[in-house]
Each structure stands twice: as C-alpha cells, then as structure tokens.
Amino acid sequence: MTHVIYIEEAISQHPRVKQICQRFPAARKIICERYGEVFNPKAQNFRLQKKQPALILAKKHQGFALPTPPSYHIGARQNYYFSHMLNCLYDCRYCFLQGMYQSANYVLFVNYEDYIDEITSIAAQHSSEPVHFFSGYDCDSLAFEPVTGFADYFLPRLEQIDNAWLELRTKSTQIRNLLKRPVNPRCVIAFSLSPDEVAGKLEHKAPPLAKRMEALLKLQKQGWSIGLRFDPLIYQQSWRQQYRQLFEQVFSQIDLKLLHSVSLGVFRLPEKYYKKMHKLYPDEKLFASPLQTQQGMVSYRQDLEQQMTESCSRMLLEFIPEELFFPCTV
C-alpha cells in the first residue's frame, strides 16, 4: 500500500498522475518542485524507507535512452537502455540500486511520451538495422505494472517502429496485461532466475522460482518470446549442484522454439556501492564471500569468477544452441 505520494508541481495535472492518485485515494499527496528534493538528500535511512517507501511522481527531462556497455547485448549492434522508474519493489541483497541511491522511495517518470519520441528518433538514426531497447536496469519492468501501465503504453507504440526491439527484464508475475494483448514479435520478456537456495536467501519480496516459471510458461503458451537471465551468478559452497539443478528444472519445461536468448552475468559492484551496501547489511553472508577489489570494482576472486562463468556456460550449452547464448562477463 502506498501511503505517501510526492508530486512534482509541473506535472500535477498530467492525466497519468491523476489516474495514479485516484488509485490511492487515502494516500497523502505532497507537492514538490523537483523530485530530487525528496530523493537525493543525504543521511536518509534506506533500510527504514524500504519498509514503507513513498511514491514520487516526476518528469524526466533528458537522457531517456542511453547506450548500453559494449558487452550488454542480445545479438544486435545497436543497444540502449532506459528506465521509467528508479528503485525496485523487491529487496534483493545483491542489487546495486541500494548503493547507487540515497533513497528507497520509488520514482516514476510519468512523461512516457517523451521516451517514445527519443526511442523513435534513435531507431530512425539506425533505420537499416535492428535497435534493441532494454527496460529494467533501474527497476523491475513489470512489478509495478498495475499502477504504472508502462508496458501497456509502450508496447503498441513500439510496434509502430519497424526496427525497434524491446526487452522487459523482470522477476515479476504481473503478466495479466501482457496476456490480454496481442503478442508483439519484437518484444522479449526476460526473466531473471536464480537457484532456490539463492533466491530464498537474497531475493527478498521477489516471487519464488516456481512462480516466475509459472508466469514464464503462461507467456510462452500464448506465443511471447522469452529470455532467460541467470544474473548475477552467486557463489555458495554447492554452487555447481545448485545451478545444475536450476538449469535442468528450467529447460525441462521451457519451449526452445520460443526462447529468444539466454545470458549470464557475474556478481560485480562498484567499490563505492559495495561499501554502502556492506554498511547497510554488516552481517550479510553475501559480503563475506571470497571477494576482491580491482580497479574500483568488487567481485569474486578472479579464479573463482572464471570457474563459475566457464562451468555455468558449459552447463547451459548442454541445453541450448550457442547462437542463443550471450554471456555478459565484463
């Protein structure tokens, strides 16, 4: 339940703002000039806010879609990411957002129209080739969908851009709106999956693996293209057995004909984020793993990271053709 909604004055009369406020009639509404007044101040208690986060409705002014790092792709040369929200409903202990932001409150940028304008412009600049747009970097793409109507708005508009592909990265089971609409052949619903032993310890508030698989299979049955994101790989003593069981469980159920891509990524954090997260969770076993710091990044020891990546890659390639596999290791 949302108890407090901050609203930037400039967009207070935006139809999307009015619609969301009607959804939470009992919530206290507070007008502010810019969302940063609430979101950016230092000395906020992230853990306390996470128990009952406020919703901040704001307007984004620039940087609607940005180039991804070179290794972040699923087959296209042109790749961009964008975020209609800042922060996530879930509480995954490894999530870099806790180290990036001062606040645990949710920011929703309501000016979807401006995102579409920039995406249209970028796609036009590369009209002779596909352009992939990734949603779900600073938030979960679908977890807040009943409130935001984000996918409902974006999908029909991206269908009109012939060379634009959309990835919706999620751990969510909020797929009802997707099931109600025609399948978009240039949209990939990419589910982040972890072994039960990892999800139960670290992915707080997120649906368990079985529920994510249930949602994934419903979408596949309707014809949606699915991506599998095994990211980040998390070390535990029996990690080989855990990931072997995960891959066997997933690929015994999934329809390979509707599988768009599979990726895996290693656990890495900027050192600044790591220090902040360690301070938030001083007793978290994740941060007692065999970690090292190199060039400002915290990750597993190089030998262990390589071992996990190579072993999990070999296991995955037992189930999928190599052309569907996109490891993200840097």
Side-chain angles (χ1 to χ4, degrees):
M1 173 63 71
T2 298
H3 297 279
V4 179
I5 302 178
Y6 292 92
I7 305 167
E8 286 189 343
E9 187 172 10
I11 48 92
S12 61
Q13 299 305 308
H14 193 290
R16 198 163 287 116
V17 170
K18 291 184 176 181
Q19 185 179 22
I20 292 170
C21 287
Q22 288 172 2
R23 187 180 180 91
F24 302 105
R28 187 157 60 102
K29 316 300 192 300
I30 302 172
I31 299 295
C32 62
E33 185 174 347
R34 292 293 298 271
Y35 79 90
E37 298 170 10
V38 182
F39 194 69
N40 292 337
K42 295 183 178 180
Q44 298 188 77
N45 190 317
F46 192 98
R47 294 309 311 152
L48 190 60
Q49 284 184 352
K50 194 68 178 175
K51 294 179 180 179
Q52 199 170 81
L55 174 61
I56 306 171
L57 304 179
K59 179 179 180 179
K60 192 171 182 66
H61 293 273
Q62 60 185 359
F64 297 97
L66 301 170
T68 68
S71 65
Y72 195 107
H73 69 94
I74 47 175
R77 290 196 314 137
Q78 305 298 333
N79 300 281
Y80 295 80
Y81 72 93
F82 69 97
S83 299
H84 69 292
M85 281 187 69
L86 307 181
N87 271 331
C88 182
L89 273 67
Y90 305 137
D91 193 15
C92 300
R93 284 295 180 268
Y94 52 71
C95 181
F96 71 95
L97 297 177
Q98 302 164 97
M100 176 182 286
Y101 297 136
Q102 301 292 338
S103 173
N105 293 326
Y106 311 135
V107 179
L108 172 65
F109 298 114
V110 300
N111 53 322
Y112 295 172
E113 300 81 4
D114 293 322
Y115 284 87
I116 292 295
D117 286 346
E118 184 149 323
I119 287 170
T120 302
S121 176
I122 292 170
Q125 294 169 30
H126 307 285
S127 57
S128 63
E129 58 184 322
V131 185
H132 288 182
F133 295 92
F134 296 87
S135 165
Y137 180 77
D138 291 317
C139 65
D140 185 289
S141 294
L142 295 177
F144 214 33
E145 178 66 13
V147 174
T148 66
F150 156 71
D152 232 20
Y153 180 88
F154 271 69
L155 282 172
R157 286 157 180 83
L158 263 74
E159 286 176 3
Q160 306 305 312
I161 310 172
D162 291 339
N163 63 326
W165 287 69
L166 174 66
E167 177 186 289
L168 299 174
R169 176 79 68 97
T170 190
K171 293 184 177 84
S172 177
T173 58
Q174 295 287 357
I175 60 170
R176 280 175 292 181
N177 286 352
L178 295 177
L179 294 175
K180 290 177 183 176
R181 62 174 303 104
V183 170
N184 183 334
R186 286 182 282 106
C187 178
V188 179
I189 316 298
F191 281 85
S192 296
L193 303 175
S194 299
D196 278 320
E197 297 86 347
V198 172
K201 293 176 182 177
L202 299 178
E203 296 179 351
H204 305 296
K205 299 184 181 179
L209 175 63
K211 290 293 184 182
R212 292 181 224 177
M213 286 300 301
E214 183 180 325
L216 181 161
L217 294 171
K218 284 181 181 178
L219 289 167
Q220 270 211 326
K221 186 177 181 180
Q222 189 167 306
W224 287 91
S225 188
I226 296 298
L228 303 177
R229 308 291 176 250
F230 301 106
D231 181 4
L233 298 178
I234 297 295
Y235 171 80
Q236 297 191 96
Q237 278 195 326
S238 55
W239 63 267
R240 279 193 184 83
Q241 179 183 353
Q242 291 172 10
Y243 281 98
R244 164 64 69 179
Q245 290 175 347
L246 172 64
F247 299 153
E248 289 177 350
Q249 180 179 351
V250 170
F251 290 105
S252 67
Q253 301 176 70
I254 202 164
D255 182 352
L256 285 177
K257 295 191 298 295
L258 287 169
L259 182 60
H260 177 273
S261 52
V262 178
S263 65
L264 60 80
V266 296
F267 172 69
R268 286 188 175 179
L269 287 169
E271 185 178 8
K272 180 180 177 181
Y273 296 177
Y274 170 80
K275 288 180 177 178
K276 183 177 176 182
M277 292 164 65
H278 190 273
K279 188 175 180 180
L280 287 171
Y281 314 107
D283 299 322
E284 175 55 61
K285 291 183 179 179
L286 172 67
F287 303 129
S289 301
L291 299 170
Q292 66 176 13
T293 303
Q294 278 192 324
Q295 298 179 326
M297 297 293 292
V298 176
S299 60
Y300 293 129
R301 285 193 329 262
Q302 190 169 2
D303 61 320
L304 178 58
E305 181 181 286
Q306 183 176 355
Q307 192 178 44
M308 292 182 70
T309 300
E310 291 179 354
S311 181
C312 288
S313 296
R314 284 195 300 271
M315 284 190 269
L316 281 170
L317 291 172
E318 294 175 22
F319 299 97
I320 60 170
E322 192 167 1
E323 59 266 25
L324 296 184
F325 185 45
F326 299 94
C328 182
T329 56
V330 293

